[in-house]
Amino acid sequence: MVFLRPMIDASGQADFRVRRAELSDASAIAQVHTRVWQQAYRNLLSARYLDQLDWTNRLNSWQDSLRSSDSGEATFVGLRRQVVVGFASSGPARDSDMGALMAVELYAIYLESAEWGTGSGDKLLAAALESAENVVVALWVFEENTRARHFYEKHGFRPDGTRSVMERDGLRLSKVRYRRVV
């Protein structure tokens, strides 16, 4: 399995830009999605489980998502030196209790670990929420993912008291829903 490795200079000064994802980005998004799971969730899931993840298993899903123009979903890619190093995806809220609020959900925001703390996540989040105006924005985050929780809290998101459990690798992982009015 071959992954595309982002090229980032030692100074971190290479340009970072965000654009709307295209169908041709599906492979790069699937690779980043898988690689960042392997990086970010090492403390939550077993190395055995994470190491066996295969980006090709996510490819069809990303292709379908990027083909679907009438779903209200939007995906943006973050590029450094024209290489996809992250993405953010948002769309209509999927939780039934959010429907009456005309809510938007941030489905995913993932960045290569070399991008963490550089401001790239801020730019991806801004792009994903750009069209959300006077609505509630919700997202789910693993309760133990303190890095992500701090990021969301920095951007005004707060836990709303709703929790769920996801089972992976024989573990039950607690998720917390965050909300913010945009």
Side-chain angles (χ1 to χ4, degrees):
M1 171 179 344
V2 176
F3 286 127
L4 300 175
R5 289 283 173 200
M7 300 299 292
I8 299 178
D9 63 18
S11 69
Q13 298 302 312
D15 67 316
F16 179 85
R17 69 183 188 94
V18 176
R19 67 165 168 74
R20 186 86 179 227
E22 301 166 354
L23 183 57
S24 61
D25 295 318
S27 177
I29 292 170
Q31 289 180 51
V32 167
H33 197 174
T34 301
R35 198 167 36 249
V36 175
W37 258 70
Q38 292 169 327
Q39 296 164 348
Y41 302 142
R42 282 279 163 196
N43 62 335
L44 298 177
L45 297 163
S46 73
R48 178 195 51 78
Y49 174 79
L50 292 170
D51 291 344
Q52 61 84 33
L53 292 177
D54 183 348
W55 68 272
T56 60
N57 293 333
R58 296 177 191 241
L59 182 57
N60 286 339
S61 176
W62 278 112
Q63 289 171 330
D64 291 345
S65 178
L66 294 172
R67 273 191 202 105
S68 176
S69 61
D70 62 342
S71 67
E73 293 181 20
T75 300
F76 296 87
V77 290
L79 300 112
R80 183 148 330 257
R81 292 189 180 153
Q82 306 307 315
V83 175
V84 173
V85 295
F87 69 92
S89 180
S90 62
R94 298 174 285 191
D95 295 333
S96 60
D97 67 327
M98 298 294 289
L101 299 173
M102 293 184 49
V104 170
E105 183 175 345
L106 179 64
Y107 300 142
I109 182 167
Y110 287 102
L111 275 166
E112 297 280 2
S113 61
E115 294 291 327
W116 297 350
T118 66
S120 299
D122 302 338
K123 293 175 184 174
L124 273 173
L125 180 63
L129 302 181
E130 185 175 18
S131 63
E133 210 172 290
N134 297 317
V135 297
V136 173
V137 178
L139 61 89
W140 286 95
V141 61
F142 288 125
E143 187 168 13
E144 293 183 34
N145 189 348
T146 55
R147 173 182 288 281
R149 292 181 72 174
H150 289 298
F151 173 79
Y152 297 130
E153 290 167 6
K154 176 180 94 169
H155 289 281
F157 287 89
R158 298 291 177 258
D160 72 1
T162 306
R163 297 178 178 283
S164 73
V165 174
M166 181 176 94
E167 294 193 29
R168 286 280 194 285
D169 191 30
L171 299 170
R172 294 174 51 86
L173 302 169
S174 179
K175 296 190 325 183
V176 179
R177 188 171 69 189
Y178 274 62
R179 283 205 255 182
R180 170 184 149 194
V181 175
V182 177

